[in-house]
Amino acid sequence: MMNCVGAGGMWWTWISGALLLIGVIVLVVVLAQVLSGKSGTSGRGAVVPGGSAGPIGPSSTPEGRGPRGNAGAQRAKEILAERYARGELSTEEYHERLRTLDGYGP
């Protein structure tokens, strides 16, 4: 005896189950990225005052340090540039803090 869906409707169950599983996997991956602090803009360029558009990375330091240079100071500069790009800092604040990080400021 068959149920009201019939044998032809059984494939819908498999498709909906597969789509649900894919959705859960995508949700878990997105949540893992958000909670780990990674964003989708990694490696993309940013406009920095007095500079040009381009990636901000260890090779772009004024001192010419390579990728194994002072990573902590470089990351601080990246965060500073991101905050400036989001409008959290004025131009004056940005330059003052950048000078402080470079060791030329107060």
Side-chain angles (χ1 to χ4, degrees):
M1 184 168 166
M2 297 180 121
N3 59 13
C4 58
V5 174
M10 190 171 182
W11 62 277
W12 280 108
T13 304
W14 285 101
I15 290 177
S16 62
L19 288 176
L20 179 64
L21 181 62
I22 290 170
V24 168
I25 291 171
V26 168
L27 181 65
V28 167
V29 169
V30 169
L31 283 175
Q33 286 181 344
V34 168
L35 293 177
S36 70
K38 293 184 180 181
S39 69
T41 61
S42 177
R44 295 196 182 141
V47 177
V48 179
S52 61
I56 299 173
S59 61
S60 65
T61 61
E63 297 84 15
R65 293 187 198 136
R68 304 227 187 263
N70 189 349
Q74 185 59 37
R75 181 63 187 137
K77 290 178 185 179
E78 290 174 10
I79 293 170
L80 188 63
E82 290 169 4
R83 290 186 62 202
Y84 179 77
R86 284 193 301 260
E88 295 177 10
L89 299 172
S90 68
T91 303
E92 182 180 295
E93 287 175 314
Y94 173 79
H95 287 296
E96 179 183 331
R97 292 177 186 195
L98 189 59
R99 280 191 304 271
T100 302
L101 287 172
D102 287 337
Y104 302 117

